[in-house]
Amino acid sequence: MSENSEFRFGSATGVGSMPGGDAREAAKTVTGSLDDFPFLAELPARGPGADMIGRTAGMLVELYARVEPSGWRFGDRPGRDTKRARSWLGEDLDALEEFTQGYEGTLKVQAVGPWTLAAALELRNGESALSDPGACRDLAGSLAEGLRLHLEDVGRRVPGAEIVLQLDEPSLVAVLRGQVPTASGYRTHRAVDRQVAEATLRDVVGVHGGGPVVVHSCAPDVPFALLRRAGVAAISFDFSLLTERDDDVIGEAVEAGTRLFAGVIPGVDVPLSDPAGSVMGVRTLWRRLGLRPGLLAEAVTLTPSCGLAGASPDFARRALAHCVRAARSLADNPE
């Protein structure tokens, strides 16, 4: 079993981003909708520095980034973009702290993982950090130290929380397959060796000191086996992108104690089916894998398929509440 298999995850949570720009309103929605697994909301609508790359760039230690027309690029010192990212993160943490007074239970925080960050951040020559193995190592080390400090801060603010760290890796599959384009757009960067990718992820996962880490990827063909070997406690994915060829690696992951964060609710405004209907596919997968129905509630946390930044505030509230009701349906009637 996984070393984190005894950790009690909540039954439903969000991926990370929320609509709008009001930190207090987002924290109120998240904590009010998710009684057993709230998360630190991200509000990218505020602009550069509140986006997931800028937010995580602001956490880096002794590395700084600024906004250029092409995206985020390394700079020599912390400029206004870094300061703005840190200020917004502080605002979000203040709001979370306000609405989690006396809270005891699971709490999730998110940051971009080392490989998506390396694919997105530009070196001074305009090329992705992915083009330079040394830059990738430095970036991963800086990220690990920044995450350690961030987790300590969250722990001080919400002392009753059992903190789950989520690493967002939407570009991981492209990194492993050599599909990340160069600055010119005419070529792609060489694929990163899978053992190097796994070792780097393991180092960053280890910064949580044995605490549970979940990796989220909303891309097809999530590398379940690689992530499991890297030591993650859970894997978060868009359930609609699964195919039957994923069955074996998912079955192996569940049997090894890895939890699944199944994204079953769209991240944009759509009519919502009844909660039981939303998890019909999860029940079907379980039967196909031959897994014990009673294991469902122990092994699966329900989420939207991706962040909710593109949704309306009303739909975001309803989507989180829907995940909670769907999780209750799974627990009450796993078959």
Side-chain angles (χ1 to χ4, degrees):
M1 295 292 283
S2 158
E3 67 181 60
N4 292 297
S5 59
E6 299 306 312
F7 185 90
R8 292 186 62 82
F9 288 94
S11 59
T13 190
V15 172
S17 67
M18 293 287 286
D22 187 326
R24 291 187 74 255
E25 185 61 32
K28 182 180 179 182
T29 296
V30 166
T31 55
S33 303
L34 302 165
D35 54 358
D36 72 347
F37 203 172
F39 61 96
L40 176 63
E42 302 167 353
L43 303 173
R46 291 179 297 196
D51 62 297
M52 71 177 195
I53 298 298
R55 186 183 185 91
T56 302
M59 296 182 190
L60 298 176
V61 173
E62 296 183 356
L63 287 177
Y64 312 105
R66 65 179 185 271
V67 178
E68 297 285 343
S70 56
W72 285 88
R73 183 174 296 182
F74 286 115
D76 295 323
R77 60 185 66 84
R80 65 180 181 181
D81 297 321
T82 297
K83 293 173 183 175
R84 184 169 51 206
R86 292 174 177 175
S87 174
W88 273 329
L89 176 58
E91 187 179 304
D92 295 336
L93 286 167
D94 289 344
L96 180 71
E97 184 178 359
E98 177 184 349
F99 286 97
T100 52
Q101 293 294 310
Y103 176 73
E104 294 185 355
T106 315
L107 172 69
K108 182 166 69 69
V109 298
Q110 306 83 219
V112 176
W115 292 111
T116 296
L117 202 59
L121 286 177
E122 299 174 357
L123 302 174
R124 289 174 178 80
N125 64 6
E127 281 296 350
S128 160
L130 200 60
S131 64
D132 183 337
C136 290
R137 286 191 296 272
D138 292 345
L139 181 58
S142 174
L143 174 63
E145 180 61 14
L147 289 174
R148 185 185 66 77
L149 296 172
H150 179 53
L151 291 166
E152 286 181 357
D153 186 20
V154 177
R156 284 191 296 268
R157 290 170 178 267
V158 194
E162 297 179 281
I163 301 171
V164 176
L165 170 63
Q166 176 179 303
L167 297 175
D168 290 315
E169 283 284 14
S171 298
L172 178 60
V173 173
V175 167
L176 295 172
R177 292 181 173 176
Q179 295 172 338
V180 177
T182 59
S184 69
Y186 294 119
R187 295 183 300 108
T188 57
H189 292 288
R190 182 179 302 175
V192 171
D193 181 89
R194 295 179 78 89
Q195 289 185 325
V196 173
E198 179 185 321
T200 300
L201 280 165
R202 188 182 300 112
D203 288 344
V204 177
V205 166
V207 77
H208 200 6
V213 177
V214 52
V215 168
H216 169 73
S217 175
C218 48
D221 300 321
V222 175
F224 286 90
L226 183 151
L227 294 173
R228 188 162 56 85
R229 291 194 303 270
V232 306
I235 299 170
S236 173
F237 54 94
D238 180 345
F239 190 84
S240 70
L241 297 179
L242 290 185
T243 66
E244 290 193 22
R245 69 173 179 268
D246 295 309
D247 282 5
D248 288 345
V249 288
I250 291 176
E252 290 168 6
V254 172
E255 289 175 350
T258 303
R259 193 171 183 88
L260 305 180
F261 280 39
V264 296
I265 310 296
V268 293
D269 293 43
V270 295
L272 293 172
S273 66
D274 69 285
S278 296
V279 290
M280 190 180 303
V282 179
R283 291 190 178 99
T284 300
L285 171 67
W286 230 245
R287 286 194 294 270
R288 205 164 65 227
L289 295 177
L291 295 169
R292 181 169 53 86
L295 185 63
L296 257 175
E298 299 173 26
V300 176
T301 292
L302 297 182
T303 73
S305 59
C306 208
L308 293 167
S312 67
D314 176 65
F315 179 83
R317 280 189 293 272
R318 289 190 292 115
L320 294 179
H322 192 91
C323 285
V324 172
R325 289 194 296 271
R328 197 171 297 134
S329 170
L330 265 190
D332 293 343
N333 184 17
E335 299 185 78

